[in-house]
Amino acid sequence: MDPTQNPNPVYDIVILGASGFTGKYVVREALKFLQTPSSPLKSLALAGRNPTRLTQSLEWASRPNPPPSSVDILTADTSDPDSLRRLCTQTKLILNCVGPFRIHGDPVVAACADSGCDYLDISGEPEFMERMEAKYHERAQETGSLIVSACGFDSIPAELGLLFNSKQWEPPSVPNQIEAYLALESTKKIAGNFGTYESAVLGVASAEKLKELRRSRPRKPRPSIHGPPAKGPTLENQKKIGLWALKLPSADAVVVRRTLTTLTEKPHGLPGLNESPDQIQKREAFWSAIKPAHFGVKITSKSLFGIFRYVTLGVSLGLLSKFSFGRWLLLKFPSVFSLGWFQKKGPSEEEVESATFKMWFIGRGYSEESLVSEGKTKPDMEIITRISGPEIGYITTPIALVQCGLIVLGQRESLVKGGVYTPGIVFGSTDIQQRLEDNGISFEVISKNKIQD
């Protein structure tokens, strides 16, 4: 929040949608940092439509302790703009967990952009994110409202994973392509969150709207990448990691590309509101070490049957999401069309605790930058890195969102004044990676090798 706006907000953070399935896990994560010695989070409130459910969410998130009396319950509804405006005057930062965002997100972003309140969410919906940038970026710049979507599993691991891999390419080497391979693992059968599934259904349905939006906007400069993109197979047996992999149309790839586009426009990152000379030097050094690369995401499985399930889900979404009756079928019977992967009641706590993820980043490029100018387009070097962590939707997502929120609270002067941005360009040069490592998400360099012909 710009210090010129609303000088005396009551709360540091308001969690909107705190009684939802993901929201209550975000509350649980935020409580770990409420009024602890080194945390900037001194005051917290929960907001939503139903005070009773919010109170129950706070009780659940506080277990085994009693709920803290300092956490207030506020009533707000995404269909009531006045309630959202009131919310924005009461807090420095809103963490928005109310999805699908293309249905419920716009009024919240509008209220923040108008008031100067800062805003983070866990959306993985490209059309919503790009529409918010088109509609509210200039207004948010004026008022000093920092608006950042995709601060959960979509797309913090992908953004930081690309940056981490890129940093390993020390001069004179340069990357050409970095591909992310996502492996979801669990000792128990785990059902995905219905909200995530609903967002995917609506996302496929609005793919044409996203194309229209992009056509209507001015073209931005493309990142300068060494060498052409490699045309890889849709399905591959990736022997380096021992998994089958399927190309995925992914929000992560869209968000990473937007970060690299912003970096092309601002090669030293985003200047902060009131940075010290040391902070400026650190930010510029960080971004000058980042080399853009072609980026894509693949979902993996140990077996071809697992890949078949992904294909079945993709075909179902692709065919049925385009028609209202098809969308009704998909949303009415999620377990059928996802072959049991998604269901309305979501996973149990035990199922959540049993799940983990691994995300490999396989970077291919050139040992010498000069090789490309000499016409050698075949990469001769490979760097593999990996991010690992707990369950993606209810543990990693709250960890990522809350750490981004704590950075906004504690380091606001070193962040950009306002505007609608991707998380990579806002948080990349902060201590976000160290914070995630301190909270159970690991970053590793697996190997650096010359590629043998």
Side-chain angles (χ1 to χ4, degrees), residues 173 221 228 234 252 267 294 337 376 396 414:
S173 69
T234 302
D252 284 343
H294 303 290
F337 290 102
K376 296 183 175 66
T396 291
S414 65

Side-chain angles (χ1 to χ4, degrees), residues 13 24 60 68 81 89-90 137 170 219 224 242-243 282 294 310 323 333-334 345 349 351 368 390 395 405:
I13 287 178
K24 69 180 187 178
W60 177 89
T89 63
Q90 293 175 283
H137 180 65
E170 293 169 10
R219 288 201 159 220
S224 174
L243 295 167
K282 179 173 164 274
H294 303 290
Y310 288 122
F323 312 102
F333 306 106
K345 72 177 171 76
E349 283 178 69
E351 287 169 347
E368 301 267 351
I395 303 184

Side-chain angles (χ1 to χ4, degrees), residues 15 29 203 219 229 262 267 278 291 299 365 434:
I15 300 172
E29 188 64 24
R219 288 201 159 220
T262 308
D278 279 356
K291 304 158 198 75
I299 190 85
Q434 184 59 54

Side-chain angles (χ1 to χ4, degrees), residues 93-361:
L93 170 63
I94 287 177
L95 303 183
N96 187 12
C97 304
V98 184
F101 288 86
R102 61 175 48 79
I103 296 173
H104 303 292
D106 189 318
V108 189
V109 174
C112 288
D114 268 343
S115 66
C117 178
D118 292 331
Y119 169 100
L120 305 178
D121 72 33
I122 51 174
S123 170
E125 303 168 34
E127 193 255 342
F128 164 76
M129 294 187 268
E130 293 185 36
R131 191 157 40 86
M132 294 306 94
E133 185 188 358
K135 284 178 78 170
Y136 300 116
H137 180 65
E138 287 179 6
R139 178 65 176 148
Q141 283 183 311
E142 288 167 18
T143 63
S145 167
L146 179 57
I147 293 169
V148 190
S149 284
C151 294
F153 184 77
D154 289 326
S155 292
I156 293 287
E159 291 255 73
L160 297 186
L162 173 107
L163 297 177
F164 182 66
N165 189 288
S166 179
K167 277 191 295 185
Q168 311 308 318
W169 294 81
E170 293 169 10
S173 69
V174 290
N176 162 257
Q177 184 159 23
I178 298 172
E179 287 190 294
Y181 291 78
L182 173 61
L184 304 176
E185 298 170 355
S186 178
T187 56
K188 293 183 166 64
K189 184 175 181 291
I190 181 167
N193 177 8
F194 178 72
T196 306
Y197 174 79
E198 185 181 17
S199 292
V201 171
L202 296 174
V204 175
S206 64
E208 282 305 314
K209 283 186 186 170
L210 179 56
K211 286 179 189 168
E212 282 171 32
L213 174 65
R214 287 173 175 169
R215 282 195 292 267
S216 72
R217 301 198 66 202
R219 288 201 159 220
K220 293 195 170 185
R222 292 192 168 204
S224 174
I225 297 171
H226 295 87
K231 292 278 186 282
T234 302
L235 175 65
E236 66 171 310
N237 184 1
Q238 178 48 262
K239 294 184 172 65
K240 297 270 167 63
I241 56 177
L243 295 167
W244 289 92
L246 180 72
K247 257 188 197 168
L248 195 66
S250 135
D252 284 343
V254 173
V255 172
V256 165
R257 280 196 289 270
R258 286 176 60 212
T259 290
L260 293 178
T261 296
T262 308
L263 186 60
T264 305
E265 296 172 316
K266 299 184 184 295
H268 294 121
L270 303 174
L273 197 56
N274 188 19
E275 290 174 294
S276 68
D278 279 356
Q279 287 170 327
I280 293 170
Q281 186 182 13
K282 179 173 164 274
R283 168 175 54 80
E284 292 185 348
F286 177 89
W287 289 112
S288 65
I290 299 301
K291 304 158 198 75
H294 303 290
F295 181 74
V297 178
K298 295 186 174 183
I299 190 85
T300 71
S301 175
K302 288 175 181 168
S303 70
L304 274 174
F305 175 69
I307 293 291
F308 170 74
R309 289 177 72 187
Y310 288 122
V311 171
T312 304
L313 177 57
V315 169
S316 299
L317 291 176
L319 292 176
L320 295 174
S321 292
K322 292 173 183 165
F323 312 102
S324 57
F325 179 65
R327 288 193 293 277
W328 179 85
L329 280 174
L330 287 167
L331 296 175
K332 182 77 174 167
F333 306 106
S335 188
V336 173
F337 290 102
S338 68
L339 299 182
W341 260 338
F342 293 96
Q343 56 192 43
K344 289 201 171 177
K345 72 177 171 76
S348 68
E349 283 178 69
E350 291 73 25
E351 287 169 347
V352 169
E353 294 294 336
S354 76
T356 57
F357 81 90
K358 289 188 177 74
M359 206 168 188
W360 282 268
F361 294 80

